[in-house]
Amino acid sequence: MARVESTNHPCFNSRVKHRSGRVHLPVAPKCNIQCNYCYRKYDCVNESRPGVSSTVLSPEQAAFYFFELKRENPWMEVAGIAGPGDALANPEQTLETMRLIREKLPETTFCLSTNGLMLDEYIEELHELGLRFLTVTMNAVDPEVGKDIYGWVRYRKRGYRGIEAASLLLEKQLSGLEKAVKLGWHVKVNTIIIPGVNDGHIEEVARTVAGLGVEIQNCLPLIPVKESAFGELRAPDAQMTKTVRAKASSYVHQMMHCGRCRSDAAGLVGKKTSDQVIDFLSYVRNLPKDMAEERKHFAVSSQEGLLVNLHLGETRSFHIYTADSKGIRFLEKRTAPAAGNGDARWEELAGLLSDCRALFTVSIGGRPEEVLASSGLQVYKVQGLISGILEAYNQGEGLKQYARLPGFRAGKGSGCGGTAMGCM
Ligand code: SF4
Ligand code: SF4
């Protein structure tokens, strides 16, 4: 049995792909090389299907997203970073994401995909953070072949082209792979089959990486992207892909179940990311970049929990909602601070709602709005169905249709449509 078959990683071990999921955390937008089959408006082709543009999250957002998905779906075992650019062309974001996850869930299985240029420079740090699964895309082990695959390489603020670029990339890939194997990681090499460019050379790639101790290779047929330098090439036909894989399999175990997932895919390999998870991802993307975890709930002024229908000052208890991978759900009720006490009442309320991102209320006096807003709470003066309002907010849609109706208990205070007494 190949060593990878004892792991819980669904890409390395096809036997667990029906029960162990992975979450791709899209925190790495930039790239440091130009593959001729890649058009940078889209995700990194090395790991994903071309033509897809993933969301980008900050490390804090990504960690929160992972924690929430994992809480609801404990079988999502792997946290992977695969773009949308190159994980190690964005080392701060990649390492910080892993750090944040590690702190809270030290048992997490991490996985990273890279073109390998910066691998040996970050390998120790990645090891300390617990990385054990690595994918390096390697399309050639001869710079004469590589020079036709890579447009340029940028390394330590200097640009390289042609044979120089291909030689540098190859040297870095080889040394990174060697170190990763020595550290005992599970290592996969992805190779794009590019007809007429490297299809006759992939056997040599397989032989070389097998010699380094790489456990598995994923030979992916080129999908020509119109806007890329290889846009006019044809995709390999099924026979070519079969032949390439068969030859390579004499040296190294072949992956046959790759789903060419998006760099923000989540769930089981080969299954479409669920709509709920996609909605949740767009909610997380709209959270403040650095405070996603602290302020993840919503507060609502409501009599009965169906409608936003109370002024701030008359709200005796706030209905608290949260959004997670299962959608928006009611969390709890929180008793409002007693009336009176001037600003102290609003400061106490700010504390009570310190984990809420937004407050939805029919109206609010000028002073409480100032105090709450300065605590970081967004205040929306709306009325209507709670579910509709929260859904619209969550999706980043405007709340115009929920604006308080004219004549709704017109009040006296500036910015307040109530009696102007409740907020005293
Ligand atoms: Fe595109 Fe990925 Fe190649 Fe960078 S490494 S150029 S993102 S395919
Ligand atoms: Fe696994 Fe392939 Fe999806 Fe990467 S693209 S997560 S290797 S199935």
Side-chain angles (χ1 to χ4, degrees):
M1 185 172 81
R3 184 171 162 250
V4 282
E5 289 176 1
S6 61
T7 75
N8 65 346
H9 195 307
C11 306
F12 286 69
N13 179 8
S14 63
R15 292 167 194 227
V16 301
K17 72 174 183 156
H18 300 297
R19 57 181 155 89
S20 175
R22 48 80 187 97
V23 181
H24 278 175
L25 301 169
V27 295
K30 291 184 291 183
C31 193
N32 44 15
I33 69 173
Q34 179 61 61
C35 304
N36 285 337
Y37 45 76
C38 177
Y39 179 53
R40 289 294 302 118
K41 197 173 144 205
Y42 303 127
D43 283 10
C44 176
V45 185
N46 288 339
E47 184 71 359
S48 338
R49 191 180 303 110
V52 169
S53 302
S54 292
T55 293
V56 176
L57 300 180
S58 70
E60 290 77 9
Q61 290 172 327
F64 167 62
Y65 173 65
F66 181 70
F67 296 145
E68 290 298 308
L69 287 184
K70 179 89 180 144
R71 194 162 54 78
E72 301 288 343
N73 312 280
W75 50 270
M76 289 196 187
E77 310 236 14
V78 180
I81 300 179
D86 184 79
L88 296 178
N90 304 262
E92 295 85 14
Q93 291 90 331
T94 295
L95 296 168
E96 182 60 10
T97 302
M98 291 177 65
R99 221 169 272 131
L100 292 170
I101 293 177
R102 194 96 202 141
E103 260 168 37
K104 207 158 158 179
L105 293 178
E107 301 306 317
T108 300
T109 300
F110 287 110
C111 160
L112 182 138
S113 296
T114 174
N115 56 41
L117 182 65
M118 300 306 289
L119 180 58
D120 69 355
E121 307 198 11
Y122 290 100
I123 203 159
E124 301 299 339
E125 229 170 312
L126 290 166
H127 192 69
E128 270 169 37
L129 284 167
L131 185 77
R132 297 295 181 267
F133 289 88
L134 171 77
T135 295
V136 175
T137 297
M138 202 172 187
N139 299 310
V141 289
D142 177 351
E144 279 299 331
V145 179
K147 75 176 189 338
D148 296 329
I149 299 176
Y150 302 105
W152 49 258
V153 165
R154 194 171 48 250
Y155 178 70
R156 297 196 170 165
K157 297 190 179 158
R158 206 193 127 188
Y160 298 81
R161 286 185 180 272
I163 199 107
E164 229 193 337
S167 303
L168 174 63
L169 181 61
L170 177 61
E171 181 200 319
K172 291 291 182 181
Q173 288 172 330
L174 292 172
S175 73
L177 285 172
E178 202 180 331
K179 286 185 190 170
V181 170
K182 269 201 191 130
L183 286 169
W185 294 3
H186 295 284
V187 182
K188 170 160 75 71
V189 159
N190 280 359
T191 306
I192 311 287
I193 308 169
I194 312 165
V197 179
N198 73 346
D199 55 298
H201 175 68
I202 292 178
E203 193 179 349
E204 190 54 25
V205 176
R207 199 181 61 79
T208 306
V209 300
L212 289 172
V214 167
E215 289 164 86
I216 183 165
Q217 185 183 28
N218 183 11
C219 295
L220 298 152
L222 171 79
I223 301 178
V225 177
K226 211 166 143 267
E227 300 90 340
S228 72
F230 284 167
E232 299 306 317
L233 290 188
R234 65 184 164 87
D237 58 22
Q239 187 53 50
M240 179 185 280
T241 302
K242 204 172 155 199
T243 306
V244 165
R245 285 176 175 167
K247 286 186 182 167
S249 69
S250 323
Y251 302 96
V252 58
H253 185 72
Q254 294 292 298
M255 178 179 189
M256 306 297 274
H257 64 287
C258 177
R260 300 197 87 161
C261 321
R262 299 165 58 110
S263 66
D264 58 4
L268 293 175
V269 163
K271 299 257 185 256
K272 203 174 151 277
T273 303
S274 75
D275 290 347
Q276 269 179 343
V277 171
I278 292 171
D279 286 350
F280 182 53
L281 178 64
S282 72
Y283 161 70
V284 174
R285 185 193 54 197
N286 290 323
L287 288 174
K289 293 214 174 318
D290 58 349
M291 53 192 292
E293 205 184 346
E294 291 75 29
R295 288 187 175 270
K296 59 187 180 188
H297 306 318
F298 310 111
V300 172
S301 293
S302 176
Q303 187 84 48
E304 71 302 300
L306 184 68
L307 300 165
V308 179
N309 54 9
L310 290 178
H311 301 266
L312 182 80
E314 26 178 59
T315 308
R316 297 288 164 257
S317 60
F318 291 90
H319 289 64
I320 308 296
Y321 291 79
T322 197
D324 58 26
S325 57
K326 289 197 168 153
I328 295 166
R329 61 187 168 87
F330 174 73
L331 198 63
E332 61 191 11
K333 275 194 194 182
R334 290 183 193 165
T335 306
N341 291 332
D343 276 2
R345 177 184 177 190
W346 309 121
E347 273 148 21
E348 197 183 334
L349 179 59
L352 184 77
L353 304 182
S354 62
D355 58 355
C356 293
R357 186 176 175 209
L359 165 69
F360 301 91
T361 186
V362 170
S363 67
I364 180 172
R367 185 58 193 152
E369 186 170 5
E370 250 173 59
V371 173
L372 294 180
S374 69
S375 78
L377 188 68
Q378 300 168 3
V379 178
Y380 292 91
K381 286 168 257 182
V382 288
Q383 66 179 85
L385 266 182
I386 295 172
S387 56
I389 290 170
L390 295 187
E391 199 62 54
Y393 174 82
N394 215 8
Q395 296 300 322
E397 294 166 9
L399 296 177
K400 240 184 184 167
Q401 58 172 317
Y402 298 102
R404 188 171 53 80
L405 296 172
F408 186 90
R409 296 178 61 189
K412 300 172 187 163
S414 126
C416 178
T419 58
M421 295 303 292
C423 288
M424 307 304 263

